[in-house]
Amino acid sequence: MMMKTELIRIYDPAEDAEGVLRAGDILAHGGLVAIPTETVYGLAANAYDEAAVKAVYAAKGRPSDNPMIVHIAELSALPELVTAIPENAKILAEAFWPGPLTMVLPRSSKIPLTTTGGLETVAIRMPSHPVACAVIRAAGVPLAAPSANRSGSPSPTTFRHCVDDLWGLVDAIVESDDCTVGVESTVLCFLPDGTPQVLRPGAVTPEEIQRRCGCVSVAEAVLHMLPQDAAAPSPGMKYKHYAPAATLTLLCGSREDYAARVNEYYEALQRAGEEDGFYAMCFDEDVSLLEAPTISYGVAYDYPSQAQNLFDVLRQLDKLQATEVYVHAPEPEEMGLAVYNRLLRAAAFRVVHL
Ligand code: AMP
Ligand code: MG
């Protein structure tokens, strides 16, 4: 069912104070508002309001066992949402909040099971984006906010992506700047011995977590396909993600090896008259070596630049009507791990090591 969607302009929360109040008011009354955060745009609802949270699942077309991240604007909002805060969670909150880090903690009874997808834990994050923080404060409640895309499509990093996916399905979309991080937050839980375990890599890297806590673990599913019958430590791991219509293949190797493989394949396609729809999704440095049409997603080894462009480029592939794409994979190190993890899912785990 289509509904009327409002566009609310908030580039600066002080200048656009009226917009902040309007967004807060819609949320406080059970409505849905897409808001910018530093990671990706989120589709926010009152985390305490089961009907509003159910409406988020419906608008996204998201399976209801895939839990949401609860967003707070102050550390003082945390204790009432959880029943315990491990020592390493305090260290990481001190180091990385506000920022792109989500921690899975035991849920207090204030958080309904609808919000946690039926789990006894809740994922919590304090975003650093001034608009996100202003809207949370104006709403006066913690906000459950998954990425503001239709489930399965690339996460939105511009307000236009939200308009493309959710116009007519939500009460309001905040018009604001593009997201600076570009991939979703790092999600981690704590193992029984207190070791932080990364469930989804993001801008806060395993290397940085190791430095702060002296230990870190990375869940198997970050880099490998889960067996069909395995229980996922994080429900989001099970689902198809970020997928453009084209068939993507990840190619891991040097600039020369990547270019050689792409050129060889493209020439074969040309001989067969089947080159239409083929694209090389590559780094800026690769472009001059390639004969196929290219679309660059950043500078080689500059993982933050790749993260920032990633989802927009995946969406552009659909606009270009790409059918087959050879992607030059980043190294799965530092923030490259987050980029690699998203590409792996977009490519349905098709990887070639050159
Ligand atoms: P999104 O809302 O699109 O950013 O996705 C949220 C991610 O956090 C999903 O991958 C969820 O599976 C994960 N997540 C949220 N809550 C929990 C939880 N309680 N335990 C484990 N993973 C969670
Ligand atoms: Mg998402």
Side-chain angles (χ1 to χ4, degrees):
M1 199 185 61
M2 295 301 269
M3 62 199 290
K4 189 177 170 302
T5 300
E6 243 177 82
L7 199 59
I8 304 175
R9 227 182 114 87
I10 318 176
Y11 285 89
D12 175 332
E15 270 174 36
D16 305 312
E18 227 171 273
V20 172
L21 289 178
R22 176 72 189 136
D25 192 52
I26 294 172
L27 289 161
H29 289 90
L32 310 189
V33 183
I35 60 169
T37 81
E38 70 277 24
T39 57
V40 301
Y41 273 74
L43 179 57
N46 176 353
Y48 296 145
D49 182 338
E50 293 194 63
V53 170
K54 281 184 184 151
V56 171
Y57 284 111
K60 276 181 63 75
R62 180 175 176 122
S64 63
D65 70 342
N66 193 359
M68 299 195 181
I69 294 172
V70 174
H71 294 70
I72 57 177
E74 266 92 25
L75 203 52
S76 58
L78 179 64
E80 63 175 329
L81 306 180
V82 301
T83 57
I85 307 176
E87 206 45 47
N88 276 336
K90 291 179 192 156
I91 292 172
L92 293 171
E94 170 79 20
F96 299 112
W97 277 2
L101 175 70
T102 297
M103 296 195 272
V104 174
L105 297 166
R107 158 191 90 95
S108 82
S109 58
K110 287 206 79 169
I111 300 286
L113 285 168
T114 310
T115 304
T116 67
L119 297 175
E120 287 305 334
T121 51
V122 58
I124 300 192
R125 173 164 113 80
M126 181 158 48
S128 64
H129 197 293
V131 175
C133 294
V135 172
I136 296 168
R137 290 191 187 109
V141 286
L143 298 180
S147 48
N149 52 308
R150 290 279 297 166
S151 195
S153 74
S155 296
T157 53
T158 73
F159 85 87
R160 280 184 199 84
H161 294 160
C162 303
V163 169
D164 288 344
D165 276 22
L166 297 176
W167 194 258
L169 296 172
V170 301
D171 296 286
I173 292 172
V174 172
E175 176 188 333
S176 194
D177 290 317
D178 298 353
C179 302
T180 51
V181 175
V183 292
E184 307 87 338
S185 59
T186 302
V187 178
L188 58 78
C189 65
F190 296 93
L191 299 176
D193 71 355
T195 302
Q197 181 175 56
V198 175
L199 301 173
R200 177 176 75 185
V204 174
T205 64
E207 289 88 343
E208 287 174 301
I209 296 164
Q210 164 80 36
R211 230 171 284 139
R212 305 287 175 157
C213 298
C215 54
V216 69
S217 145
V218 176
E220 176 81 6
V222 166
L223 285 177
H224 303 282
M225 198 182 324
L226 283 174
Q228 285 282 312
D229 51 355
S234 181
M237 291 171 171
K238 291 187 300 195
Y239 296 108
K240 186 178 151 176
H241 255 110
Y242 320 117
T247 304
L248 266 60
T249 305
L250 285 193
L251 273 58
C252 305
S254 69
R255 177 173 176 254
E256 291 73 24
D257 289 345
Y258 172 74
R261 178 64 70 96
V262 172
N263 289 340
E264 181 192 342
Y265 186 64
Y266 189 67
E267 279 161 28
L269 287 175
Q270 281 180 314
R271 280 195 298 276
E274 288 172 1
E275 73 275 24
D276 273 4
F278 180 87
Y279 285 87
M281 181 172 157
C282 61
F283 303 125
D284 292 353
E285 293 87 335
D286 300 329
V287 171
S288 64
L289 296 181
L290 294 166
E291 280 148 34
T294 59
I295 181 162
S296 170
Y297 71 106
V299 176
Y301 301 102
D302 180 351
Y303 305 125
S305 84
Q306 297 163 20
Q308 207 179 13
N309 296 321
L310 180 69
F311 289 134
D312 188 58
V313 167
L314 289 178
R315 282 175 181 255
Q316 281 182 46
L317 290 173
D318 280 344
K319 297 222 163 93
L320 292 165
Q321 296 184 305
T323 52
E324 185 169 23
V325 180
Y326 274 15
V327 185
H328 197 176
E331 300 295 325
E333 62 183 13
E334 297 163 17
M335 208 180 158
L337 181 67
V339 178
Y340 188 93
N341 165 272
R342 304 312 189 276
L343 283 169
L344 204 54
R345 277 152 183 80
F349 293 89
R350 260 181 309 275
V351 183
V352 177
H353 293 274
L354 299 170

